[in-house]
Amino acid sequence: MPLQQVFLVAKYFRKTVFKNTAIVILAGFIAILLAYAIFLGWNNYVNQNETSQKYQQQSYQDWLSNPDKNPHRMAHYGNFAFRESSPLSVFEFGMESFFGNAIFLEAHKQNTANFSEASFSNSMLRFGEISTAMVFQILLPLLIFFLGFNTIAAERENGTLKLHLSQGINWKQLLLGKMLGIASILMMLFVPALLLIILIWFLLQNFTITLDETLKMILFMGFHFIYLLFFCVIAVLVSAASKTSKKALISLIGIWLLFTIILPRGTQALGAYFYEAPSKVQFNSQIENDIIKAGDSHNPDDLHFKTIKDSLLRLYKVDSVKKLPFNYSGFIMTEGEKISSKIYNKHLDTLLQVYAKQNRFSKAVSFLNPYIAIKNLSMGLSNTDYDSYINFQKQAEAYRYGMAQKMNGLQMKYISNEKQKPTDKPYIIDKDHWAEVSEFHYKPTGILQVLKNEIISIISIFFWIILLYIILKTASKNLKAI
């Protein structure tokens, strides 16, 4: 197939498009919106990370500055875990505005993340935020459809289509030429945006990038480029199959609405309907009930812990907890923490299985809708998806459990079993022990885990490549000029 014919068709299309003032205005508006989205993302990223770093350090300094005291009191004093944003979250906000970025960590209790952007915003946030990813995923496809709706349908209407085909250009060359023409115009927006994105991405990391973040960046832009090419192909194919430009435009707008609004919203609703998750109140009450059944470490008359007490006395051959070689209360608190954490993790895993089913249902629909596939990939690569939030929760819980058990261990080692008199000085330990608990540092999900989480979305992208190739090949043989 002579490529010269394809390039000629693309060149001619590019020249004629800019004669349409409406297209120029629309493209200019999207370019301005894209620049604004990049600036907004940069501002949000800088503010959020500065705040997270500031209060993470302040929280840890507050922990270290506590005076000499009983380690059990320190366990209840607690600490905070803050989640910093990844560099790519500048361009894809994902679910960050709705999931909190701070968790209060204390003994015997697992808290959820708080202080989400949505909780401090007005109702306008429900309509979505202007992000670079949103422009790429929703607005640029709409621009592509406006560019491509009359690529072939208009030529069929004015009779020039038969003239082109009679001059030696076949359907395959014509279709590819029109697609290349749309793609070349798209690159006038995509390439400058790409260069600006890369520059900001470098600046945010002080030009010191990791291999993990580099791979995420390459895949982020690569998948978005492929996604936009899908719409170039769809626009030309629909125009070629339509009798008039009006029918082509209506069909393409319908496809755009179906892909970007109807299917995503409907998929979420159906997933939640088929796999119903318990409310937060139900979840917490179930955990509380199971903990009561298992035993209350703060209740001296609890049967479960009374059995533990009797076993310890027999094991160490003593008749009183005062004679044990370690602090009995600290040991009981350690056991209580193990029990409550085990129960919480059990319920959490059950809940996560429900959410996993909802997410798998949503990802399965990506075989019908490439928008869902690219949205999931975009959020995963920028660490703004649901899996990243759960990863943060688990890291915070592991830190909380380690902090509580460290304080329980100090109590067992340094606090006496002798009961104090009202006039006695409280049992305390040196404040230098607080430094044995390190500062919390959130680690974002690595590229390999992201790809594993989004394997269905990746497969669906390749499915769409194959599907559109087959449709294009079939159409080039069966389309008619009239």
Side-chain angles (χ1 to χ4, degrees):
M1 180 186 65
L3 290 177
Q4 185 178 2
Q5 300 281 22
V6 175
F7 291 137
L8 284 173
V9 173
K11 184 178 180 181
Y12 176 75
F13 173 79
R14 190 167 58 248
K15 284 183 178 179
T16 57
V17 160
F18 289 108
K19 293 179 181 178
N20 189 335
T21 307
I23 292 294
V24 175
I25 293 173
L26 180 60
F29 172 74
I30 291 178
I32 294 171
L33 199 61
L34 187 58
Y36 172 72
I38 293 173
F39 169 77
L40 185 64
W42 187 354
N43 186 59
N44 287 344
Y45 173 87
V46 171
N47 288 339
Q48 180 170 321
N49 275 10
E50 284 182 351
T51 301
S52 296
Q53 291 170 7
K54 174 184 175 182
Y55 288 107
Q56 185 68 76
Q57 293 171 3
Q58 182 177 317
S59 174
Y60 188 62
Q61 288 303 316
D62 289 344
W63 168 271
L64 295 177
S65 62
N66 271 273
D68 300 346
K69 65 169 62 175
N70 191 296
H72 187 66
R73 288 184 176 274
M74 279 298 292
H76 282 284
Y77 178 83
N79 205 339
F80 272 93
F82 285 86
R83 178 171 60 96
E84 293 185 28
S85 300
S86 68
L88 279 177
S89 66
V90 172
F91 317 112
E92 169 62 88
F93 299 158
M95 299 181 179
E96 278 207 334
S97 298
F98 301 94
F99 291 145
N101 64 347
I103 303 177
F104 178 59
L105 311 173
E106 57 182 321
H108 314 306
K109 187 176 180 182
Q110 291 83 1
N111 298 310
T112 55
N114 292 310
F115 310 114
S116 67
E117 193 68 27
S119 64
F120 295 101
S121 303
N122 57 36
S123 59
M124 285 302 293
L125 189 60
R126 298 175 189 171
F127 294 94
E129 297 171 290
I130 300 175
S131 67
T132 307
M134 187 271 280
V135 176
F136 282 167
Q137 296 162 13
I138 297 178
L139 296 185
L140 280 183
L142 186 61
L143 174 63
I144 290 170
F145 281 173
F146 277 115
L147 287 171
F149 79 94
N150 63 352
T151 49
I152 294 178
E155 294 184 352
R156 178 179 279 114
E157 286 180 287
N158 59 32
T160 57
L161 179 57
K162 288 193 294 183
L163 182 62
H164 287 322
L165 294 174
S166 65
Q167 290 178 338
I169 298 178
N170 59 40
W171 270 108
K172 194 171 185 179
Q173 292 170 336
L174 184 63
L175 293 174
L176 289 176
K178 297 293 187 181
M179 294 172 194
L180 181 60
I182 297 174
S184 65
I185 296 170
L186 176 66
M187 289 300 100
M188 294 180 183
L189 285 173
F190 189 80
V191 172
L194 174 62
L195 295 175
L196 182 58
I197 286 170
I198 292 174
L199 175 61
I200 291 175
W201 180 71
F202 272 115
L203 288 172
L204 290 173
Q205 301 175 90
N206 296 318
F207 294 92
T208 54
I209 58 173
T210 63
L211 177 61
D212 191 82
E213 287 297 328
T214 302
L215 291 174
K216 286 179 180 178
M217 178 62 168
I218 293 171
L219 291 174
F220 182 86
M221 299 310 301
F223 279 122
H224 276 92
F225 178 70
I226 293 172
Y227 169 78
L228 293 173
L229 289 182
F230 289 166
F231 287 88
C232 294
V233 176
I234 293 171
V236 174
L237 287 174
V238 170
S239 181
S242 302
K243 297 293 184 182
T244 64
S245 299
K246 183 179 179 181
K247 288 182 179 180
L249 181 59
I250 292 173
S251 298
L252 289 171
I253 290 177
I255 291 172
W256 180 80
L257 288 171
L258 182 68
F259 279 178
T260 61
I261 297 176
I262 298 173
L263 274 179
R265 302 296 186 273
T267 300
Q268 292 172 2
L270 285 174
Y273 175 77
F274 291 140
Y275 307 104
E276 186 176 359
S279 66
K280 186 176 181 179
V281 174
Q282 290 175 313
F283 178 74
N284 289 334
S285 64
Q286 289 169 357
I287 293 174
E288 190 68 27
N289 290 335
D290 283 357
I291 289 177
I292 292 173
K293 292 177 184 177
D296 183 3
S297 59
H298 287 78
N299 181 6
D301 299 321
D302 185 272
L303 292 177
H304 174 77
F305 287 97
K306 186 177 183 303
T307 302
I308 294 177
K309 174 184 174 182
D310 294 339
S311 299
L312 287 173
L313 294 177
R314 286 195 300 270
L315 178 65
Y316 286 92
K317 299 177 181 180
V318 294
D319 57 3
S320 171
V321 295
K322 295 179 182 179
K323 298 178 182 179
L324 289 172
F326 53 82
N327 182 266
Y328 172 71
S329 295
F331 179 84
I332 292 299
M333 291 302 116
T334 300
E335 292 301 307
E337 194 67 58
K338 288 179 182 178
I339 291 172
S340 62
S341 295
K342 185 178 180 180
I343 290 172
Y344 173 81
N345 290 329
K346 177 184 175 183
H347 282 275
L348 179 61
D349 288 341
T350 302
L351 180 65
L352 293 182
Q353 288 175 13
V354 176
Y355 288 144
K357 291 178 181 178
Q358 293 181 2
N359 290 335
R360 281 198 296 269
F361 177 81
S362 174
K363 289 176 182 178
V365 179
S366 63
F367 289 96
L368 301 175
N369 183 4
Y371 169 75
I372 293 178
I374 194 63
K375 187 64 179 176
N376 287 329
L377 278 168
S378 180
M379 292 191 298
L381 291 168
S382 59
N383 290 120
T384 59
D385 62 336
Y386 171 77
D387 290 321
S388 296
Y389 168 74
I390 294 301
N391 180 37
F392 169 57
Q393 284 272 156
K394 289 183 175 181
Q395 288 184 40
E397 169 57 19
Y399 179 88
R400 184 206 68 81
Y401 182 77
M403 176 191 72
Q405 295 297 54
K406 171 61 73 173
M407 294 300 105
N408 290 331
L410 291 173
Q411 181 176 348
M412 288 177 63
K413 185 175 182 180
Y414 294 108
I415 301 299
S416 172
N417 280 314
E418 293 289 339
K419 286 189 177 181
Q420 294 174 286
K421 298 178 181 179
T423 56
D424 290 343
K425 184 180 178 181
Y427 289 137
I428 60 175
I429 63 173
D430 192 276
K431 63 181 181 180
D432 290 342
H433 288 290
W434 312 151
E436 294 179 25
V437 176
S438 59
E439 185 177 357
F440 175 82
H441 290 288
Y442 168 63
K443 296 179 181 178
T445 308
I447 181 64
L448 292 179
Q449 186 60 46
V450 170
L451 295 178
K452 182 180 178 181
N453 293 341
E454 299 300 336
I455 187 64
I456 296 177
S457 299
I458 295 171
I459 293 173
S460 68
I461 290 290
F462 285 101
F463 166 79
W464 274 92
I465 293 173
I466 296 170
L467 177 65
L468 290 176
Y469 172 77
I470 293 172
I471 295 174
L472 178 61
K473 193 172 182 179
T474 305
S476 63
K477 295 178 181 179
N478 299 322
L479 284 170
K480 305 296 181 184
I482 300 176

